[in-house]
Amino acid sequence: MVSKQQKQVVLKDYVRGYPKESDFELRSSDTNCVLSNGSRAVLLKNLCLACDPYMRHRMSDQVSHPGTIIKSYSPGSVLVGYGVCKVIQSTHPGFQEGDFVWGLTGWEEYTVIPNPERLNKISHTGVPLSYYTGNSSAEVKLYLTSEPARVPGCWFTGTGGIAAYVGFYNLCSPKAGETVYVSSACGGVGQLVGQFAKMMGCYVVGSASTEEKVNLSKTKFGFDDAFNYKEHDLAAALKRYFPGGIDIYFDNVGGKMLDEVIMHMKPHGRIAACGMISQYNLEEPEGIHNMFNVVVKSLEIKGFVETDFKHIYPEYLEFAIRHLQEGKLVYVEDIAEGLENASSALIGVFHGRNVGKKVVRVASG
Amino acid sequence: MVSKQQKQVVLKDYVRGYPKESDFELRSSDTNCVLSNGSRAVLLKNLCLACDPYMRHRMSDQVSHPGTIIKSYSPGSVLVGYGVCKVIQSTHPGFQEGDFVWGLTGWEEYTVIPNPERLNKISHTGVPLSYYTGNSSAEVKLYLTSEPARVPGCWFTGTGGIAAYVGFYNLCSPKAGETVYVSSACGGVGQLVGQFAKMMGCYVVGSASTEEKVNLSKTKFGFDDAFNYKEHDLAAALKRYFPGGIDIYFDNVGGKMLDEVIMHMKPHGRIAACGMISQYNLEEPEGIHNMFNVVVKSLEIKGFVETDFKHIYPEYLEFAIRHLQEGKLVYVEDIAEGLENASSALIGVFHGRNVGKKVVRVASG
């Protein structure tokens, strides 16, 4: 096999403001798929790709985020993100044809990975392989991607289970009876935080951008209550749902939401700063004006990157699988079919069009 | 004794913007100083009063800080703040004439305290009483007010030793070799944080508003370096002094300073939010726009109120006294003489006119 004619999703140039269809190109090209004898590489068939909000930062010129771990995409190049893939050729002794792996891969049908050590082999004992790659239902049990101990990363790190788990349990130190507020309540992280909070015996309220998601939060994920933040005055809503204040805020959106929530925090409240999707497409981030409340209320705001918590993976895996098996945990994905729909799927995430974690299925295995 | 003709500092009305002389009145009035037989009260002679930045919040209408521990002053009433006082009459069995106490008292010559249980008796074993009340030198050793275990509060809680101690050691978890930045480097808190950081083996740089204070930071408090933030571009200065980034920021000023510092923090950096004096006189607080860096750099921002750390007082006392006795710790106060100069002393704090902790000496004992 020398080359493959394949579809690829290319970032045409740095993005300003919200990403739009014209920022991307679905191109068809011949890709060199030769693995030379001296190499230690693999050729992957990409099966599923995660639409992760953090990818927006990589679409900006790097000068906008100095000193961070974020590296910009190169204009004209294929997008890169977390995916689940099948090894179809290998010159690396650690990988064999037929292996399934997850890790950073290209938004294309086939990808050559010259340093596959950074990939993670999927050990799917007791879990059908299809669970890793998604299915046609919009609802997929958590164990579709439930082996972060063996498969740390993929949807369950960047924006998923591990982030929800360490952000809630480790950073926020929740106690039974505490009040918890979760923004993006139906997102890949928020839906899990809501369920974790209920398991802990907390009172948990979420917000989302549509009535469909508000209802899903209550009926599917078990939030005590939820509201459409686009339809309600935020200050009034927070006062109504948290008359005594908020102990824990799991922040997925940042900006004005964070600014207002700070006003409603109880003394000694904790804020997990997981993501700030409301800010990613702005030229100038919104200002947080209520920071003095952090002082007088003894608040903690803790940012985190889930890759710092690899030592927690085994604990999380045990936790997640047990609760899945007991039927106490569900996970909802929103699957787009085919690379033809990949850019619109990703764009939709920044407009809240996804209901659950957004995933692109490239191939079925 | 039925009444006393005395001087009092009165807040005339809620303050907007920077407090000014016309917001205060030095009045002379007859104060009822009768302690009835059935009461359990004390009559205090006020000796020293602390000019604490937090007092600015009490000068605003309470609606501006809902849900916090801050209670507004009543317009037309005498200011209240921390002070060191002598008991000159008592109907409370726990206090005797001649006792020295510290706690919240009036900005006046004599104050009746109907519930003296909230006052703290000064146990001055081994420490001359004059050390508690200040002296005419602008420079006073820390042990002037160095017994927070027995005298928790006074200058060393609201804006002093305990805040510096718990904010630096407990909240920031410093390690030898880390880089520390302190704003208001010569303030009651900053000067101590700088010295604590050096004891810990950190590299510490401070900023202040005058060359005099910059020099004092380096020569007196041992900061590795210091700069006048009014004379330098802040971003350039922080880049110059911290080319590898900042591990710990002890924030006494908030606002634009905090916003810029966030950009210069190292991953896993810690920010102790102790005070935000730059914001206290603004109608609309400045916005913090760089909060996304909190996420991607895994930063922690921790607000705190030192009264939550009473259990630390004994440890701090031992630490402070030992280092004082070894000559490794100094404390600089800036003393204004007499209630006639009290309001201008307090006003000056918000313009950075003080060099060291600002104190008003009302009487000498």
Side-chain angles (χ1 to χ4, degrees):
Chain A
M1 180 186 318
V2 173
S3 69
K4 280 190 177 289
Q5 177 75 25
Q6 66 160 326
K7 282 175 269 186
Q8 299 177 311
V9 180
V10 170
L11 179 72
K12 288 160 73 176
D13 201 353
Y14 292 128
V15 173
R16 301 195 66 164
Y18 281 81
K20 49 196 182 305
E21 285 290 355
S22 60
D23 292 321
F24 305 95
E25 181 187 356
L26 182 70
R27 77 178 173 203
S28 186
S29 69
D30 282 325
T31 305
N32 185 347
C33 291
V34 175
L35 302 183
S36 62
N37 284 334
S39 71
R40 294 162 67 87
V42 293
L43 174 63
L44 301 179
K45 182 181 184 184
N46 295 312
L47 305 180
C48 282
L49 302 170
C51 296
D52 285 330
Y54 83 88
M55 295 170 73
R56 175 63 186 83
H57 299 288
R58 304 194 63 182
M59 300 176 201
S60 294
D61 194 352
Q62 201 166 334
V63 294
S64 65
H65 30 70
T68 73
I69 58 173
I70 296 169
K71 297 281 174 279
S72 294
Y73 294 128
S74 298
S77 298
V78 176
L79 284 180
V80 170
Y82 283 105
V84 171
C85 323
K86 183 178 182 179
V87 175
I88 58 173
Q89 199 178 344
S90 174
T91 54
H92 189 287
F95 295 87
Q96 293 190 324
E97 191 180 317
D99 282 349
F100 291 90
V101 297
W102 73 266
L104 287 172
T105 190
W107 276 42
E108 58 194 345
E109 293 175 85
Y110 302 95
T111 302
V112 173
I113 304 287
N115 50 346
E117 298 82 4
R118 65 175 175 76
L119 294 174
N120 304 272
K121 288 174 81 166
I122 292 178
S123 168
H124 49 86
T125 314
V127 184
L129 180 65
S130 64
Y131 285 1
Y132 288 96
T133 58
N135 62 37
S136 60
S137 162
E139 181 182 319
V140 189
K141 290 286 185 188
L142 176 62
Y143 46 79
L144 298 197
T145 50
S146 70
E147 296 201 328
R150 278 160 287 180
V151 276
C154 200
W155 309 309
F156 277 82
T157 57
T159 54
I162 284 294
Y165 188 80
V166 302
F168 182 66
Y169 288 107
N170 293 64
L171 274 68
C172 293
S173 307
K175 291 183 279 295
E178 289 195 315
T179 58
V180 178
Y181 175 55
V182 183
S183 51
S184 290
C186 281
V189 177
Q191 59 177 276
L192 293 169
V193 173
Q195 294 177 79
F196 294 163
K198 285 312 299 173
M199 290 176 195
M200 175 57 75
C202 297
Y203 166 82
V204 58
V205 175
S207 62
S209 61
T210 67
E211 287 307 311
E212 179 188 8
K213 290 193 270 193
V214 165
N215 289 333
L216 195 68
S217 301
K218 294 189 281 190
T219 59
K220 192 81 194 169
F221 305 128
F223 282 73
D224 290 290
D225 223 322
F227 64 95
N228 182 338
Y229 70 89
K230 291 188 172 178
E231 299 289 324
H232 291 85
D233 175 76
L234 183 57
L238 292 174
K239 197 168 179 181
R240 185 163 63 249
Y241 291 110
F242 298 99
I246 300 168
D247 289 303
I248 291 173
Y249 173 44
F250 199 102
D251 187 19
N252 294 307
V253 303
K256 287 175 183 166
M257 175 75 82
L258 172 60
D259 207 17
E260 185 61 42
V261 173
I262 286 174
M263 296 298 284
H264 298 260
M265 296 299 290
K266 283 188 195 175
H268 300 283
R270 292 134 273 155
I271 297 175
C274 180
M276 298 190 173
I277 194 172
S278 73
Q279 305 299 293
Y280 297 167
N281 301 294
L282 305 181
E283 290 289 306
E284 166 78 355
E286 291 164 355
I288 306 300
H289 297 269
N290 296 321
M291 289 297 283
F292 184 62
N293 282 265
V294 172
V295 179
V296 290
K297 291 186 190 170
S298 300
L299 304 182
E300 288 185 1
I301 303 178
K302 293 183 178 180
F304 67 108
V305 180
E306 65 289 346
T307 49
D308 287 331
F309 292 88
K310 284 185 177 167
H311 58 289
I312 305 292
Y313 288 166
E315 172 188 323
Y316 168 65
L317 178 67
E318 189 281 326
F319 175 94
I321 288 188
R322 177 162 50 86
H323 284 89
L324 279 165
Q325 290 171 340
E326 294 171 359
K328 293 178 179 168
L329 195 61
V330 293
Y331 188 66
V332 172
E333 289 182 320
D334 183 345
I335 297 178
E337 295 289 344
L339 285 171
E340 298 81 357
N341 296 307
S343 57
S344 69
L346 183 56
I347 290 166
V349 165
F350 298 103
H351 297 279
R353 292 185 195 128
N354 53 310
V355 180
K357 177 65 194 172
K358 193 75 190 182
V359 172
V360 176
R361 178 156 53 198
V362 182
S364 54
Chain B
M1 180 185 318
V2 173
S3 68
K4 280 191 177 288
Q5 176 75 26
Q6 66 161 327
K7 282 174 270 186
Q8 299 177 311
V9 180
V10 170
L11 179 73
K12 288 160 74 176
D13 201 353
Y14 292 128
V15 173
R16 301 194 66 164
Y18 282 81
K20 49 197 181 306
E21 285 291 354
S22 60
D23 292 321
F24 304 96
E25 181 188 355
L26 182 69
R27 79 178 172 203
S28 186
S29 69
D30 281 325
T31 305
N32 185 348
C33 291
V34 175
L35 302 183
S36 64
N37 285 333
S39 70
R40 294 163 66 88
V42 294
L43 173 63
L44 301 179
K45 182 181 185 186
N46 295 312
L47 306 179
C48 281
L49 303 169
C51 296
D52 284 330
Y54 83 87
M55 295 170 73
R56 175 62 187 82
H57 300 286
R58 304 194 64 183
M59 301 176 201
S60 294
D61 194 351
Q62 202 166 333
V63 294
S64 65
H65 32 71
T68 73
I69 58 173
I70 296 168
K71 296 282 174 278
S72 294
Y73 294 127
S74 298
S77 298
V78 176
L79 284 180
V80 170
Y82 283 106
V84 171
C85 322
K86 183 178 182 178
V87 174
I88 58 174
Q89 199 177 347
S90 174
T91 53
H92 190 288
F95 296 87
Q96 293 190 322
E97 190 182 317
D99 282 349
F100 290 90
V101 297
W102 72 265
L104 287 172
T105 190
W107 277 42
E108 58 194 346
E109 293 175 86
Y110 302 95
T111 302
V112 173
I113 304 287
N115 50 347
E117 298 82 3
R118 64 175 176 76
L119 294 174
N120 304 272
K121 288 174 80 167
I122 292 178
S123 167
H124 49 85
T125 314
V127 183
L129 178 66
S130 63
Y131 286 1
Y132 287 97
T133 58
N135 62 38
S136 60
S137 163
E139 181 184 320
V140 189
K141 291 286 186 188
L142 176 62
Y143 46 78
L144 298 197
T145 50
S146 72
E147 298 202 330
R150 278 161 285 180
V151 277
C154 198
W155 308 310
F156 277 80
T157 56
T159 55
I162 284 294
Y165 188 80
V166 302
F168 181 66
Y169 288 107
N170 293 64
L171 274 70
C172 293
S173 307
K175 290 183 279 296
E178 289 195 315
T179 58
V180 178
Y181 175 55
V182 183
S183 51
S184 291
C186 281
V189 177
Q191 59 177 276
L192 293 170
V193 174
Q195 294 177 78
F196 295 164
K198 286 311 300 172
M199 291 176 194
M200 175 57 74
C202 298
Y203 166 83
V204 57
V205 175
S207 61
S209 61
T210 67
E211 287 307 311
E212 178 189 6
K213 290 193 269 193
V214 165
N215 289 333
L216 196 68
S217 301
K218 293 188 282 190
T219 58
K220 192 81 194 170
F221 305 129
F223 282 72
D224 290 290
D225 224 321
F227 64 94
N228 182 338
Y229 70 88
K230 291 189 172 178
E231 300 289 324
H232 291 85
D233 175 76
L234 183 57
L238 291 174
K239 197 168 178 182
R240 185 164 62 248
Y241 291 110
F242 298 99
I246 299 167
D247 289 303
I248 292 172
Y249 172 44
F250 199 102
D251 187 20
N252 294 307
V253 302
K256 287 175 185 167
M257 175 74 82
L258 173 60
D259 207 15
E260 185 61 43
V261 173
I262 286 174
M263 295 298 283
H264 298 260
M265 296 298 290
K266 283 188 195 176
H268 299 284
R270 291 134 274 154
I271 297 174
C274 180
M276 298 190 173
I277 195 172
S278 73
Q279 305 299 292
Y280 297 167
N281 301 294
L282 306 181
E283 291 288 305
E284 167 78 357
E286 291 164 354
I288 306 300
H289 297 268
N290 296 320
M291 290 296 283
F292 184 61
N293 281 265
V294 172
V295 179
V296 290
K297 291 187 192 170
S298 299
L299 304 183
E300 288 185 1
I301 303 179
K302 293 184 178 179
F304 67 108
V305 181
E306 65 288 345
T307 48
D308 288 331
F309 293 88
K310 285 184 177 168
H311 58 289
I312 304 293
Y313 289 166
E315 171 188 323
Y316 168 64
L317 179 66
E318 190 280 325
F319 175 94
I321 288 188
R322 176 163 50 86
H323 285 89
L324 279 165
Q325 290 171 338
E326 294 171 359
K328 293 178 179 168
L329 196 61
V330 294
Y331 188 64
V332 172
E333 290 181 321
D334 182 346
I335 296 178
E337 295 289 343
L339 284 171
E340 298 81 357
N341 296 307
S343 57
S344 69
L346 183 55
I347 290 167
V349 165
F350 299 104
H351 297 279
R353 292 186 195 129
N354 54 310
V355 180
K357 177 65 193 172
K358 193 74 190 183
V359 172
V360 176
R361 178 156 52 198
V362 182
S364 54

